[in-house]
Amino acid sequence: MVIKVFVATSSGSTAIKKKQQEVVGFLEANKIDFQQMDIAGDEDNRKWMRENVPGEKKPQNGIPLPPQIFNEERYCGDFESFFSAKEENIIYSFLGLAPPPGTKETEKSDDTDETEALTEDKADEGAHEEAQSDQSPSEDQQESKEDHAATGEEEEKQEEGEEKEEEEEQEES
């Protein structure tokens, strides 16, 4: 898959030039293969870019400005979309590429996998506990719950007392 970045090599707008340089520089720095497609010097490139930017991504005048980014024929986005993906560390998914090992984006997907696994484990535990709670608790279990609740209340009172002491010490100094 080849990333295509549509640029205007002879743009008079410094804002457009800066945006193009940022996209191209980022891709080069991260060794992501891409092709620059000049829309200023090649009418076919300009026409192809304008036809393939989705309608909802076109500005009100209907003419999308460079840089526009594609993965082969699939539209990835404009500079604003690219910038957001870069800030969120999801540039490889934005470009439709697999992230290389060791990148933050890979770590995010690993974390997501682990989170999903933990969520499934907790759901299984919850179902097990729910099944147990359907049975009426024995007298021992009921007493244990009451003792635990009383201990929790005592701990809260003790913590409140300690906090008051600290406040009084601070006021004195």
Side-chain angles (χ1 to χ4, degrees), residues 2-5 23-28 32-36:
V2 177
I3 302 301
K4 296 177 182 175
V5 181
V23 171
V24 169
F26 181 85
L27 296 174
E28 288 173 343
I32 298 172
D33 291 333
F34 71 98
Q35 291 178 342
Q36 279 191 67

Side-chain angles (χ1 to χ4, degrees), residues 95-170:
L95 295 171
L97 302 173
T103 61
K104 287 184 179 180
E105 198 166 335
T106 304
E107 292 168 10
K108 275 189 176 183
S109 67
D110 290 347
D111 289 348
T112 302
D113 294 344
E114 289 174 19
T115 303
E116 288 170 358
L118 287 173
T119 304
E120 288 174 9
D121 289 345
K122 286 183 180 178
D124 291 344
E125 287 175 15
H128 179 69
E129 288 172 6
E130 192 174 300
Q132 285 182 339
S133 69
D134 288 345
Q135 304 165 354
S136 61
S138 68
E139 285 180 30
D140 291 341
Q141 289 173 329
Q142 190 64 33
E143 285 176 19
S144 173
K145 283 183 181 179
E146 289 170 1
D147 290 344
H148 186 70
T151 305
E153 289 173 11
E154 289 171 12
E155 287 175 359
E156 281 181 30
K157 287 179 183 176
Q158 185 178 359
E159 287 175 8
E160 287 175 8
E162 289 172 1
E163 287 175 5
K164 284 181 182 176
E165 286 176 19
E166 287 177 15
E167 287 175 11
E168 289 171 2
E169 286 176 15
Q170 286 177 352

Side-chain angles (χ1 to χ4, degrees), residues 2-7 35-55 58 62-77:
V2 177
I3 302 301
K4 296 177 182 175
V5 181
F6 287 83
V7 298
Q35 291 178 342
Q36 279 191 67
M37 312 295 285
D38 184 20
I39 64 167
D42 189 329
E43 185 62 36
D44 291 337
N45 285 345
R46 182 181 317 144
K47 185 177 177 185
W48 191 92
M49 180 193 82
R50 288 181 178 175
E51 289 173 356
N52 288 284
V53 170
K58 291 182 181 177
I63 301 171
L65 298 173
Q68 296 292 330
I69 306 160
F70 290 82
N71 183 335
E72 294 293 340
E73 312 294 311
R74 185 182 72 80
Y75 181 70
C76 298

